[in-house]
Amino acid sequence: MAIRLVTTADSLRAQSRLLLTQKNGSSLGLVPTMGALHAGHGRLARAAAEQNDVVVASIFVNPLQFGEAQDLDRYPRTLEADVALLEEQGVDLVFAPSVEEMYPGGQPMVRITSGPLGEKWEGASRPGHFDGALTVVAKLLHLGIPGTGLPGGRAFVAGSGGGLPAYRAYFGQKDAQQLALVRRMVADLNFPVEIVAVPTARDADGLALSSRNRFLSGEEREAALVLSRALRLIEERANANEPLDVGSARALIESQPLVRLDYLDVVDPVALEPLAENCHETPFRGEGLALVAAKVGAVRLIDNVPLSS
Ligand code: AMP
């Protein structure tokens, strides 16, 4: 079945309902994106297609989460190629609304507040970013709920087994703080959706795929490899139950003149609070997340690696 593209919330509901009926489907996967898609997004779409009968991907560059209008204007828009990539991965329906469709009458008055979890790490250098991101994710998660929005507010029962379709939404581990915040929002506010995390897709040399990588010069791209190398050092030590020696990983990044380190730290994967210093000096045990952010030339990059031993 050819992929379908819709731009309004009404047509999203109508088409997803139709697809569930046509496929006699009992599950729907939603993949929220901002477009400019690469193989990392493709991996999210593929996971959703493997686990669900119907897959919806959204493409929306959300003005609420950009600090500077300039960044928003500069964000790459590649709709045609995006739709082709999504189709290849088995997506059924693309929702690509306009700003007016998402925010009729201007910016929303009531928003999601990301709280202390949204103020640290990336939030510290991008004030308001996670409030804006969670607000649009909340809207998209609601718009994507399968089997709702029938005239008269009647519930829709898909599939032969009865009951509402299963509903899953897919987020990349690449944006670890966003993922932690989305999980927290869904738990705190009882959203009827299961959040599925998808591992970070990397180029063969280790660089995490990002729509920002296209802004790196050849030399900067080479320099940026130091971020994944530093994370790998920490990961290897965690796997070997050694002290993590975050200091030497930081020093590795700081030795690269084109890279300006913002933070490199090891945190717990839920609250993203730094783990006790002792894991820096004593053998690492348990669960953690090594987070890094740096500017490479003018491009801010983030990466992370989950730790477990
Ligand atoms: P974005 O369009 O950049 O907002 O990203 C949309 C989704 O794709 C988010 O859930 C990201 O975490 C995820 N994503 C972005 N880059 C990668 C990657 N390299 N590997 C896995 N997921 C990614």
Side-chain angles (χ1 to χ4, degrees):
M1 222 185 294
I3 195 165
R4 303 172 198 185
L5 173 67
V6 294
T7 57
T8 66
D10 283 348
S11 46
L12 167 64
R13 283 195 198 96
Q15 288 294 322
S16 87
R17 197 169 69 211
L18 192 63
L19 280 160
L20 280 164
T21 308
Q22 283 171 345
K23 294 184 158 199
N24 198 20
S26 60
S27 56
L28 183 141
L30 176 72
V31 183
T33 82
M34 297 207 299
L37 302 185
H38 50 64
H41 302 105
R43 194 175 285 192
L44 264 64
R46 170 64 58 187
E50 282 167 4
Q51 296 168 13
N52 299 279
D53 298 321
V54 172
V55 181
V56 178
S58 63
I59 297 178
F60 180 62
V61 183
N62 173 35
L64 293 192
Q65 69 192 70
F66 284 83
E68 289 172 30
Q70 212 183 0
D71 280 349
L72 176 63
D73 295 341
R74 224 164 63 114
Y75 204 86
R77 270 107 168 145
T78 57
L79 184 64
E80 214 173 301
D82 292 348
V83 172
L85 180 146
L86 293 169
E87 180 160 33
E88 231 167 79
Q89 301 305 323
V91 171
D92 300 291
L93 181 60
V94 177
F95 176 50
S98 64
V99 172
E100 177 58 25
E101 175 70 16
M102 287 298 277
Y103 303 120
Q107 299 211 340
M109 181 164 56
V110 177
R111 302 175 186 215
I112 300 288
T113 304
S114 55
L117 185 50
E119 285 163 14
K120 54 183 90 165
W121 310 119
E122 282 309 281
S125 57
R126 304 176 72 186
H129 167 72
F130 287 117
D131 292 359
L134 286 186
T135 299
V136 82
V137 169
K139 285 174 71 83
L140 291 167
L141 290 176
H142 284 136
L143 290 171
I145 294 175
T148 57
L150 282 182
R154 282 175 293 127
F156 167 69
V157 179
S160 50
L164 285 173
Y167 182 31
R168 305 183 181 96
Y170 292 77
F171 291 86
Q173 177 64 43
K174 162 76 167 48
D175 296 283
Q177 191 171 4
Q178 172 175 277
L179 173 63
L181 278 162
V182 169
R183 284 194 191 288
R184 190 69 204 225
M185 172 176 77
V186 163
D188 282 352
L189 304 180
N190 303 91
F191 282 43
V193 62
E194 177 192 343
I195 301 301
V196 182
V198 179
T200 301
R202 299 177 180 279
D203 274 331
D205 56 14
L207 185 70
L209 299 184
S210 162
S211 31
R212 292 180 177 187
N213 291 353
R214 72 186 69 198
F215 299 124
L216 298 169
S217 69
E219 205 185 350
E220 288 166 347
R221 195 194 171 288
E222 192 58 33
L225 294 178
V226 78
L227 303 182
S228 53
R229 280 197 198 117
L231 291 177
R232 212 169 330 121
L233 274 181
I234 295 177
E235 185 184 23
E236 282 166 7
R237 289 175 194 142
N239 289 342
N241 288 123
E242 289 171 6
L244 298 181
D245 193 6
V246 178
S248 75
R250 279 195 196 113
L252 175 69
I253 296 175
E254 280 161 349
S255 71
Q256 174 49 258
L258 292 180
V259 177
R260 212 154 8 99
L261 179 62
D262 181 352
Y263 58 79
L264 170 64
D265 237 305
V266 177
V267 301
D268 79 84
V270 176
L272 309 188
E273 277 297 307
L275 288 183
E277 275 299 309
N278 70 7
C279 82
H280 294 210
E281 283 142 29
T282 57
F284 174 79
R285 298 214 187 276
E287 302 289 316
L289 194 57
L291 297 176
V292 67
K295 259 195 150 175
V296 183
V299 185
R300 186 183 167 80
L301 296 180
I302 57 171
D303 197 354
N304 70 88
V305 64
L307 307 174
S308 171
S309 82

